[in-house]
Amino acid sequence: MNTYNCPRCGSPSTIERCPVCGRGPEPLLARLGELDAVLATMPATLQSRAAVEAERVSVLKGLTEVAARYLAEAEGQARSAPTPQVPAYAAPAAPTTPPGGAPQVPVMPPLPPYPEIPPHTPPGGAFAMPRERGEVGSKTVQTVLLSLGGLLVAAALIIFTAVAWRNMGNGGRAGVLGGVTLLLLAIPFALKRFRLWATAETFAALAALALWCTTLAGYYLYRPPSAEFGPEAVGAWTAGVLVVLAAYRALARLTATSWVMLPLAVIGSAYAAAGSIGTAVVLMLVIAGTLGAAAWITGKRPGQYATSDKWAGRFLTCAAVVAACSAGLRAAFGVEDPVVPSIAAAVAVLAAANLIGVHFAQRLGVTLNTMLIAGSAAGSLVLCAWVLAVRSGSPELVIPSLALLCAGFLPLLVTRPRKSAWAFASAVIAGLCGLAAFAIVAFDAPDLAAYFTAFLAARLLAPVLADPLGSAFRTASYAVGTGTAMIASLVALGGLGYLFWGNDIGWTLYSAEVPIVLVAFAVASVLLPKRFRVDGAALAVTFAVASGAILWWDQNPARFDAVPTVALLVCAAIGLAAALFSRTLAGRCTGWVALAVWAPLAGAAADVSTSLDLDDAWIRLWLTVTAAAMLVIAVGAPRRSRPDRVLAAVLAHVLGGTTAAAGLLIDFFDWTYDDDATDLVPALQFGVYALALAGAAIMAPVRKWGYVIAALCTGSLGWWSLLAALDVSTLEFYTAPPAAVLFLIGLWRLERHPDTGSWSTLALPILIGLAPSLLLAIDDGNEFRRVGVGAAAIAVIVAGLARRWQAPLVLGSIALAVLVVNELLLLRGHIPTWVPPAIGGAILLVIGATFERRRRDLRRLREGLKAMR
């Protein structure tokens, strides 16, 4: 039983009780005893010893504080104790009289002696604080010296094995190598008795290297004449050395032996893989088993460096797994070429399953050793799958290989829990792609059908599995299904190139697989969430109809040339239905885009169809009607959000404007085209779209005036196109109707909002109605136009005077004045030469006589004009 100095009295005592002062149990002394016991069993070179020593120092400081507290309590008790009665002090001495007549002072007795306190002694086992270390610690110096010494000795061994022994005989060479090896193997046991653990580890590493060199050198010297010193021999003897080193590790319990086995295993596996398939697989499996056994031994029989043993065991386990997987890869390389794609697909599925297991183990919180083993197996299988896929040269394995690559690297790039769910799902995606590829390469299954089956199986299996597997399978099924549907849709779109240009863009179109798979996707859309079902079904049915129609048309293009047109019209109708009934904004926007795309394609298909024999003008009219319907439906459809309504309106404008512009360009450049039946088509186009704009102006909740102005402009273009088609050349037929409509709108607005003024409401229609005719009426021989313009100007002036509108009065007066001047200029040849001077003089006389009154009248007239609206 250990004894310690009591923190109260300083006497030797035990943890439980002090025999001198009677102190009870002290927890700090108990903890000090535990630390002393631990330090007694720990080697001086162990890294964790420093932590224990630091805790011991803190316990000693606590004991010092406890002793100081006991000392303070003892001093306080001594001060508060009563003064003992001494007989000599029973009566005070007589007062003495100092010289000089000072007052008498009684003589006080002396104070009692201070109670003796035993001297304080530090607790037992205390030691001085450690001195400050230098820039480099002693342990670092020791590690550097041992590492450099071991490196030099290892280099000497290798040089002796390769070069220096050539001048010696076989016996001498074998004796030197064998003796050095045995000596190096025995030295660590002697060093362990003197507790030189680091030096023993260094010699153990050198012994392992020397054993490998000695074994290879001995085989090279004494091998049979027919034996070869090739890769198989190096791999075999290296495997034997690893077995011996595993046994030596169990006997010596030295960590360095475990670490040296790792590079030797890499060398042995590399040389073994270069041999024949049977020998290579056996040797690699032996190496894998030896590494596994060494990992188990390292865990069960740890040495002085527990942390290093732990990591060595982990790395040995990972190396064993990698070696076993490499043996399987070497076996796969030895099989015949026809079965390599199937093996590659199977390995891809196995690799994906291992990745799923890694993610699942991570979520379960397994130990680090288990994670390392699972990760090593998964990484090795991914590498094997890639190598086999490259060797097979099969394009069907491209998608599984890329999926495996993403599943392997995605966990390294994400750290958040939500993103780790995608990493889990990526492993499931890789597994589904591997299963589909295996069915394709092994059983010659159709590509799209195989991936659709994988999607359907995963989606049906997801509700049965518990999370996180259920959610991962659900996400993976959606990803695989989306990718498969996109590929099928691209194939269907490639059929349009085959329809219009006779080229299938590299996709195989002569199979019913594409429409069948797309129809299956449409049926399987019931497995999607409710808000996505309409979108999925609409897209799948659309591309199924397009691809099926192209296949049908390809059977007999001359007979079924109208089928693509009808099919594309159906696709446009499906797009419209999706735009109206989809529950998502993306679905509605996609529906409007589909309608704007499929409608022109249907028109193009109708143009190339010989059985329909439609004129281009009527196709353009139909597209304009489609654009007008899009605009009216988009603006007037109930319960629609603003973004898709705006998108539909923009697409309608683009479709209508592009169709009208294309028609005008065709009519302009096609000089030989002359068909009276289609001359009115441009006017019909503008008229139909003007009506649509007018309806949109009525139904739109906001920004009505934009639609009103657009309707007026488009209607004017339609009216002008109609007049041009009817060969009407009179200008007033072009300007009068738009001016009248604008004038009526201006009157309506002026009545509802009188504060707007006549200039903003009536000036534009008056200018449109009078200005072009006035310009033609100047210096024109057509009296009817001049009279008509004058009458219109007078009517405008009368209207302005009657309603006190400023704009009609001013503009009508200007027009009438211009006409009067023009009439005078037309009559200038019939006026005598004396008339102008006479008129001028009379005017000057009148002005001069009534100047003041004229100024007053002009001022009154100006004020009256300003008072008008």
Side-chain angles (χ1 to χ4, degrees):
M1 180 176 62
N2 294 332
T3 58
Y4 303 91
N5 290 339
C6 177
R8 174 183 290 179
C9 63
S11 302
S13 65
T14 61
I15 297 173
E16 292 78 9
R17 184 177 181 82
C18 177
V20 178
C21 64
R23 174 196 50 80
E26 177 58 48
L28 290 176
L29 285 178
R31 181 57 182 163
L32 183 62
E34 295 176 0
L35 295 175
D36 288 340
V38 173
L39 289 174
T41 60
M42 295 180 69
T45 58
L46 195 61
Q47 295 180 355
S48 59
R49 182 184 178 90
V52 180
E53 290 178 351
E55 185 177 358
R56 187 174 184 273
V57 171
S58 64
V59 172
L60 289 174
K61 291 181 179 178
L63 287 172
T64 303
E65 295 175 358
V66 171
R69 186 171 63 251
Y70 282 141
L71 180 61
E73 292 177 357
E75 292 178 353
Q77 292 176 1
R79 291 192 185 96
S80 60
T83 303
Q85 298 293 329
V86 181
Y89 301 102
T96 60
T97 304
Q104 296 181 355
V105 180
V107 179
M108 299 299 297
L111 294 175
Y114 194 80
E116 294 185 0
I117 300 175
H120 176 68
T121 305
F127 55 89
M129 297 300 293
R131 294 176 300 174
E132 295 185 1
R133 298 183 179 181
E135 295 182 357
V136 180
S138 59
K139 188 174 182 179
T140 304
V141 175
Q142 169 189 310
T143 304
V144 171
L145 291 176
L146 292 177
S147 301
L148 291 178
L151 181 63
L152 293 176
V153 175
L157 288 173
I158 295 174
I159 293 172
F160 177 80
T161 304
V163 178
W165 69 336
R166 295 179 182 176
N167 298 324
M168 302 175 62
N170 292 343
R173 291 183 288 227
V176 171
L177 287 174
V180 170
T181 301
L182 293 176
L183 181 62
L184 291 175
L185 290 173
I187 286 177
F189 292 96
L191 294 175
K192 288 175 60 177
R193 299 189 61 182
F194 294 98
R195 295 182 177 273
L196 299 176
W197 306 107
T199 309
E201 296 286 352
T202 304
F203 276 93
L206 293 175
L209 180 61
L211 179 62
W212 183 65
C213 294
T214 302
T215 303
L216 293 180
Y219 175 74
Y220 181 79
L221 291 174
Y222 298 105
R223 71 182 187 276
S226 59
E228 296 182 357
F229 190 71
E232 294 183 355
V234 176
W237 285 105
T238 303
V241 170
L242 290 174
V243 173
V244 174
L245 289 178
Y248 182 74
R249 171 63 182 82
L251 181 63
R253 303 179 67 173
L254 294 172
T255 308
T257 307
S258 301
W259 287 107
V260 174
M261 292 179 67
L262 291 172
L264 292 181
V266 173
I267 296 173
S269 299
Y271 275 99
S276 60
I277 180 173
T279 306
V281 172
V282 172
L283 289 177
M284 294 174 75
L285 289 178
V286 170
I287 292 174
T290 304
L291 293 176
W296 182 81
I297 292 171
T298 303
K300 292 296 182 180
R301 296 180 62 83
Q304 296 298 320
Y305 302 98
T307 304
S308 182
D309 278 327
K310 182 185 299 184
W311 283 102
R314 291 170 179 174
F315 279 103
L316 285 172
T317 304
C318 296
V321 175
V322 172
C325 294
S326 301
L329 179 62
R330 180 63 183 88
F333 268 105
V335 299
E336 299 295 333
D337 290 339
V339 297
V340 172
S342 301
I343 295 177
V347 173
V349 175
L350 186 60
N354 274 266
L355 289 174
I356 295 173
V358 169
H359 289 290
F360 195 69
Q362 182 182 8
R363 288 174 175 266
L364 291 178
V366 298
T367 61
L368 182 59
N369 290 337
T370 305
M371 286 298 301
L372 288 175
I373 294 173
S376 301
S380 302
L381 289 173
V382 169
L383 180 61
C384 294
W386 262 82
V387 174
L388 290 173
V390 172
R391 185 196 168 191
S392 66
S394 178
E396 290 81 2
L397 297 175
V398 173
I399 295 178
S401 300
L402 293 177
L404 279 177
L405 184 64
C406 294
F409 281 98
L410 191 59
L412 303 177
L413 302 177
V414 298
T415 55
R416 298 179 181 178
R418 184 176 181 84
K419 294 184 178 179
S420 64
W422 279 102
F424 196 179
S426 66
V428 181
I429 292 172
L432 296 178
C433 294
L435 288 174
F438 182 79
I440 294 170
V441 298
F443 304 105
D444 198 19
D447 296 2
L448 296 176
Y451 280 95
F452 173 77
T453 304
F455 148 75
L456 188 61
R459 183 60 186 86
L460 294 176
L461 189 62
V464 181
L465 300 175
D467 286 336
L469 281 177
S471 59
F473 267 80
R474 187 180 299 106
T475 304
S477 66
Y478 289 151
V480 174
T482 302
T484 307
M486 290 179 62
I487 296 297
S489 302
L490 290 177
V491 175
L493 290 177
L496 297 177
Y498 183 72
L499 171 65
F500 293 112
W501 300 291
N503 186 5
D504 59 0
I505 318 179
W507 299 101
T508 303
L509 300 174
Y510 304 102
S511 173
E513 179 189 4
V514 174
I516 291 176
V517 169
L518 288 171
V519 170
F521 270 114
V523 176
S525 62
V526 297
L527 299 175
L528 298 176
K530 290 184 178 180
R531 61 194 187 104
F532 296 113
R533 290 176 183 176
V534 174
D535 304 339
L539 290 174
V541 172
T542 297
F543 289 107
V545 170
S547 59
I550 299 301
L551 287 174
W552 189 3
W553 166 82
D554 187 61
Q555 302 299 321
N556 192 345
R559 181 180 178 184
F560 304 117
D561 63 340
V563 172
T565 303
V566 177
L568 294 176
L569 289 175
V570 173
C571 293
I574 295 173
L576 178 60
L580 293 177
F581 301 108
S582 175
R583 296 187 178 184
T584 62
L585 176 62
R588 294 192 294 271
C589 293
T590 304
W592 288 119
V593 173
L595 176 58
V597 171
W598 292 117
L601 290 178
D607 186 46
V608 299
S609 175
T610 57
S611 60
L612 295 177
D613 194 18
L614 295 176
D615 192 88
D616 294 343
W618 298 112
I619 295 176
R620 296 196 301 270
L621 178 61
W622 173 78
L623 290 177
T624 304
V625 172
T626 302
M630 285 179 61
L631 179 61
V632 173
I633 294 174
V635 175
R639 297 190 305 274
R640 299 296 98 186
S641 58
R642 188 170 182 270
D644 58 304
R645 288 192 290 107
V646 173
L647 177 64
V650 171
L651 292 175
H653 298 333
V654 171
L655 180 59
T658 304
T659 304
L664 293 176
L665 290 176
I666 292 173
D667 295 340
F668 179 77
F669 288 104
D670 192 1
W671 301 99
T672 61
Y673 182 79
D674 188 11
D675 188 0
D676 296 336
T678 58
D679 289 342
L680 300 177
V681 170
L684 291 175
Q685 289 180 267
F686 287 115
V688 169
Y689 206 74
L691 292 175
L693 289 170
I698 296 173
M699 293 183 293
V702 293
R703 299 183 180 180
K704 294 178 177 290
W705 280 108
Y707 285 112
V708 170
I709 295 172
L712 290 175
C713 295
T714 308
S716 299
L717 292 176
W719 176 251
W720 295 342
S721 300
L722 178 62
L723 294 178
L726 298 177
D727 296 329
V728 177
S729 58
T730 304
L731 179 64
E732 285 71 19
F733 287 100
Y734 290 88
T735 59
V741 174
L742 288 175
F743 193 82
L744 292 176
I745 294 175
L747 288 177
W748 173 78
R749 188 180 179 189
L750 192 60
E751 290 296 329
R752 295 192 62 179
H753 304 283
D755 56 334
T756 56
S758 60
W759 284 105
S760 61
T761 56
L762 302 178
L764 181 62
I766 292 173
L767 288 175
I768 293 175
L770 292 179
S773 300
L774 181 61
L775 293 176
L776 291 181
I778 295 175
D779 199 12
D780 189 10
N782 191 346
E783 294 82 2
F784 295 102
R785 175 172 282 121
R786 298 202 303 271
V787 173
V789 172
I794 293 173
V796 169
I797 293 172
V798 172
L801 292 173
R803 301 298 301 271
R804 298 180 61 83
W805 289 329
Q806 189 180 89
L809 179 61
V810 173
L811 295 178
S813 301
I814 292 174
L816 187 59
V818 171
L819 283 176
V820 170
V821 173
N822 180 64
E823 292 297 329
L824 292 176
L825 292 177
L826 291 177
L827 297 175
R828 64 182 179 272
H830 304 282
I831 299 176
T833 56
W834 56 270
V835 173
I839 295 175
I843 291 174
L844 290 176
L845 290 174
V846 173
I847 291 175
T850 59
F851 181 74
E852 183 178 0
R853 189 177 61 185
R854 286 176 180 272
R855 289 181 59 192
R856 186 175 61 250
D857 294 341
L858 288 174
R859 184 171 59 252
R860 186 180 303 166
L861 178 61
R862 183 169 62 252
E863 292 176 356
L865 287 174
K866 289 182 178 181
M868 293 182 178
R869 289 176 291 174

